[in-house]
């Protein structure tokens, strides 16, 4: 305990020092005081000539390991056009504690990205955020934008600590309805699945014997490294083992957005606890326990991080993926697999009983949001940056690069990626622009932007991201994609899901459940320590008897720590969210 206390103290002190480096100067400002002023009431930014300024940013939702001064092709554009550059504070692990330390020290960086609405509301209450209503004339892309009308309304009503002011800007506004893909879906290594006879899969549990047969056919990759059926990682864990709970989305069950401790059946609008005896979480734990008993689970799953798992996918060492995008570079054209004479790669092979989560049209955005510190030395420039980020043209720029580099338009105005552009995208090449680096690098430090990729640009009628442009959707398929189409009889995976009734449409109420109050959150964190730790023990239990004993131990301890109170809170808040959701939809 003593060593743990010393480590915590060291972390807080280190973050406090970081806060000093990345924040403006002064004490927290009262919500009623005019933001952006010095102690004498005069504007803190008096220069009229635009000079290059460095704005600090702490983006909690970012999972990027990059920090420091942003250096890439978009940074060059920002310096040239806005005379602004961004210095990102490190995020990584324990971002909540880092934010608490900054707030305790009375300082926030110029730009803050919040992971939960509760964090932003606390900053409003502490007078630490800029009231953006006083900058309406400088933020037309937010205040005069019909795309954001419900997001602004929701922020005033729900995120302003009762003041009715506009402090917090929601992100990811727009549709997430799958045009081409979904986030959660089962992917199998195609060539090995073919060699296994392409057996029918009816339920989640049917993957186990199928993947076992695949492993027997393909026990090692070309480099002689052992191949596993499943490989997990723990660095995204929160109150539960996230890589285990995330299987729930294949059955239309949210175990993340409302609360990791709760299971929301999005189509039925019902809610329960991950610790209910009939919970899906228990089923998922049993699934991976069985996988481990069969020798299918990577023994490094508890200790390894996401980057390591991606490397294993790139090396062809894993047979199953539960995310549509988690395949490393194995599915890239440059890998040589997807266009081989016997094409290989990861392809969609669903169980017949799946009801895959389909996210709602996020008219209010999601819990991830942005705000500006009330103590920034450059309020006008910070406001200018946020207005720029919420310009649909900026989103298109950051998603697709400048026109003429990767893409162009036809005579009728339809956008398309050029052959040179596809070469850069498919082979993950650096951008041929000053600053260079990858196309996606500018967004990694932000993690999310103001809109969703599938939002239609009001000016053109085409989606903001190239991924959903007509020419992208109909582009020449790889041999792997063509084989899948021939096998399934569908042109796209989404078409298959919709036709077979494999979609569970979610309600926007999923994004409207408020974070738990501090006293309940403390209990949830204690419960999470028990759930998370014992979950991994259950997966690697020696036998079924130990698995069952560990489950009973989780339930008993969690109940003793207040699990019923947690459940009651979310049942009540979910019902309220369902009642209020109509206020923020057309």
């Amino acid at each position: 305990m003593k060593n743990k206390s010393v480590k915590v103290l060291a972390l807080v002190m280190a973050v406090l020092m970081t806060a000093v480096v990345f924040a403006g100067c002064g004490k927290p400002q009262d919500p009623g005081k005019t933001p952006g002023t010095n102690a004498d009431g005069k504007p803190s930014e008096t220069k009229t000539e635009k000079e290059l300024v460095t704005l600090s940013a702490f983006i909690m939702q970012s999972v990027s390991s990059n920090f420091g001064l942003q250096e890439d092709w978009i940074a060059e554009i920002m310096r040239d056009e806005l005379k602004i550059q961004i210095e990102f504070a490190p995020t990584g692990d324990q971002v909540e504690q880092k934010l608490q330390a900054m707030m305790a020290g009375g300082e926030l960086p110029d730009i803050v990205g919040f992971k939960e609405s509760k964090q932003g509301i606390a900053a409003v209450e502490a007078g630490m955020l800029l009231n953006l209503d006083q900058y309406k004339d400088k933020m037309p892309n937010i205040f005069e934008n019909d795309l954001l009308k419900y997001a602004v309304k929701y922020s005033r009503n729900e995120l302003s600590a009762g003041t009715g002011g506009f402090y917090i800007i929601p992100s990811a506004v727009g549709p997430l309805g799958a045009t081409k893909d979904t986030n959660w879906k089962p992917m199998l290594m195609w060539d090995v699945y073919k060699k296994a006879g392409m057996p029918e899969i009816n339920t989640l549990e049917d993957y186990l014997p199928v993947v076992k047969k695949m492993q027997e056919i393909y026990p090692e990759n070309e480099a002689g490294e052992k191949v596993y059926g499943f490989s997990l990682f723990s660095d995204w864990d929160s109150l539960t083992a996230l890589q285990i709970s995330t299987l729930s989305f294949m059955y239309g069950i949210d175990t993340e957005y409302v609360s990791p401790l709760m299971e929301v059946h999005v189509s039925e609008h019902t809610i329960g606890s991950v610790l209910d005896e009939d919970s899906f979480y228990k089923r998922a734990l049993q699934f991976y326990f069985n996988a481990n008993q069969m020798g299918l689970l990577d023994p490094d799953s508890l200790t390894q991080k996401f980057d390591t798992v991606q490397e294993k996918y790139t090396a062809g060492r894993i047979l199953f993926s539960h995310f549509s995008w988690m395949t490393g570079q194995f599915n890239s054209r440059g890998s040589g697999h997807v266009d081989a004479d016997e094409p290989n790669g990861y392809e969609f092979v669903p169980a017949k009983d799946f009801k895959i989560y389909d996210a709602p049209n996020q008219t209010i955005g999601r819990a991830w949001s942005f705000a500006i510190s009330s103590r920034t030395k450059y309020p006008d420039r910070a406001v200018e940056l946020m207005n720029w980020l919420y310009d649909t043209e900026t989103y298109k720029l950051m998603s697709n690069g400048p026109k003429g580099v990767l893409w162009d338009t036809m005579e009728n105005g339809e956008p398309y990626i050029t052959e040179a552009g596809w070469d850069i995208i498919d082979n993950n090449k650096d951008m041929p622009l000053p600053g260079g680096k990858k196309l996606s690098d500018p967004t990694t430090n932000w993690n999310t932007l103001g809109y969703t990729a599938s939002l239609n640009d009001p000016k053109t009628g085409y989606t903001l991201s190239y991924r959903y442009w007509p020419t992208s959707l109909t582009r020449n398929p790889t041999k792997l994609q063509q084989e899948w189409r021939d096998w399934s009889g569908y042109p796209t995976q989404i078409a298959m899901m919709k036709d077979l009734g494999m979609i569970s449409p979610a309600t926007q109420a999923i994004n409207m459940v408020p974070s738990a109050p501090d006293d309940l959150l403390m209990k949830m964190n204690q419960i999470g320590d028990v759930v998370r730790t014992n979950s991994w023990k259950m997966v690697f239990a020696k036998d079924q008897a130990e698995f069952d004993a560990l489950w009973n131990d989780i339930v008993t301890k969690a109940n003793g720590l207040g699990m019923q109170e947690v459940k009651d809170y979310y049942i009540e808040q979910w019902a309220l969210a369902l009642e209020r959701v109509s206020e923020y939809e057309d």
Side-chain angles (χ1 to χ4, degrees), residues 29 37 48 96 110 118 120 149 181 187 192 296 335 338 361 375 382 398-399 449 451 464 471 479 500 570 584:
Q29 190 170 330
T37 59
T48 56
E96 289 83 2
D110 299 306
K118 178 184 175 182
K149 64 180 180 181
D181 218 338
M187 307 278 283
V192 186
L296 296 173
S335 70
V338 295
N361 182 3
R375 300 308 303 173
M398 294 179 75
S399 296
L449 295 175
Y451 306 103
L464 298 182
T471 51
K479 289 183 179 180
L500 297 180
Y570 281 105
Y584 305 102

Side-chain angles (χ1 to χ4, degrees), residues 241-377:
L242 187 141
Q243 296 308 299
I244 296 170
S245 67
T246 201
L247 289 176
S248 68
F249 285 91
M250 296 183 189
Y251 285 90
I253 303 170
D254 165 52
T255 50
E256 181 178 355
Y257 300 120
V258 171
S259 169
L261 293 177
M262 302 302 294
E263 295 186 351
V264 178
H265 294 252
V266 295
S267 292
E268 293 82 3
H269 294 178
T270 58
I271 187 170
S273 160
V274 295
L275 299 185
D276 290 344
E277 195 58 33
D278 61 349
S279 72
F280 185 89
Y281 188 62
K282 185 180 182 184
R283 179 181 176 184
L285 289 167
Q286 183 74 55
F287 176 82
Y288 280 117
F289 164 78
N290 292 340
N292 187 54
Q293 293 291 304
M294 296 169 69
L296 296 173
L297 183 62
D298 185 347
D300 294 334
S301 292
L302 171 60
T303 55
Q304 68 189 354
K305 295 188 176 182
F306 167 75
D307 290 345
T308 303
V309 174
Q310 284 287 72
E311 291 170 2
K312 290 181 177 179
Y313 277 110
T314 296
R317 296 187 59 196
I318 310 170
L319 299 171
F320 177 98
S321 174
H322 53 265
F323 285 129
S324 60
W325 45 266
M326 193 167 69
T327 59
Q329 292 299 312
F330 200 84
N331 270 28
S332 69
R333 269 197 148 107
S335 70
H337 302 298
V338 295
D339 282 317
D341 291 337
E342 292 293 330
N344 198 13
Y346 295 92
E347 269 295 354
F348 178 52
V349 183
K352 288 186 176 180
D353 69 340
F354 276 175
K355 295 286 186 180
I356 297 174
Y357 178 96
D358 186 22
N361 182 3
Q362 296 183 163
T363 60
I364 63 170
R366 60 179 300 181
W368 292 355
S369 59
F370 299 112
I372 299 174
S373 168
S374 61
R375 300 308 303 173
T376 177
K377 295 179 180 178

Side-chain angles (χ1 to χ4, degrees), residues 238-241 259-262 273-276 281 516 519-535 550-551 553-568 570:
S238 57
L239 302 178
T240 63
S259 169
L261 293 177
M262 302 302 294
S273 160
V274 295
L275 299 185
D276 290 344
Y281 188 62
D519 58 338
L520 191 59
L521 184 61
M522 186 177 298
K523 294 179 181 180
M524 290 171 62
N525 287 333
Q526 292 173 334
I527 293 169
D529 288 340
V530 174
V531 174
R532 184 176 58 252
T533 301
N534 271 19
S535 293
L550 286 165
W551 173 259
D553 184 57
I554 290 178
V555 173
T556 300
K557 289 180 178 177
N559 286 339
L561 292 168
M563 186 64 196
Q564 187 60 48
E565 186 180 349
V566 173
K567 186 175 178 179
D568 290 344
Y570 281 105

Side-chain angles (χ1 to χ4, degrees), residues 124-182:
V124 173
E125 292 174 337
M128 302 186 76
L129 300 184
L130 202 64
N131 185 343
L132 301 177
D133 283 319
Q134 301 184 42
Y135 293 85
K136 279 186 177 182
D137 60 329
K138 298 180 181 294
M139 306 184 81
N141 292 328
I142 294 172
F143 286 102
E144 300 173 19
N145 186 347
D146 196 54
L147 297 171
L148 298 173
K149 64 180 180 181
Y150 287 124
V152 172
K153 178 181 178 181
Y154 183 79
S155 181
R156 291 189 191 283
N157 292 347
E158 309 291 341
L159 309 179
S160 67
T163 67
F166 185 66
Y167 298 87
I168 296 171
I169 317 172
S171 70
V173 175
L176 287 178
T179 304
K180 181 182 178 183
D181 218 338
T182 62

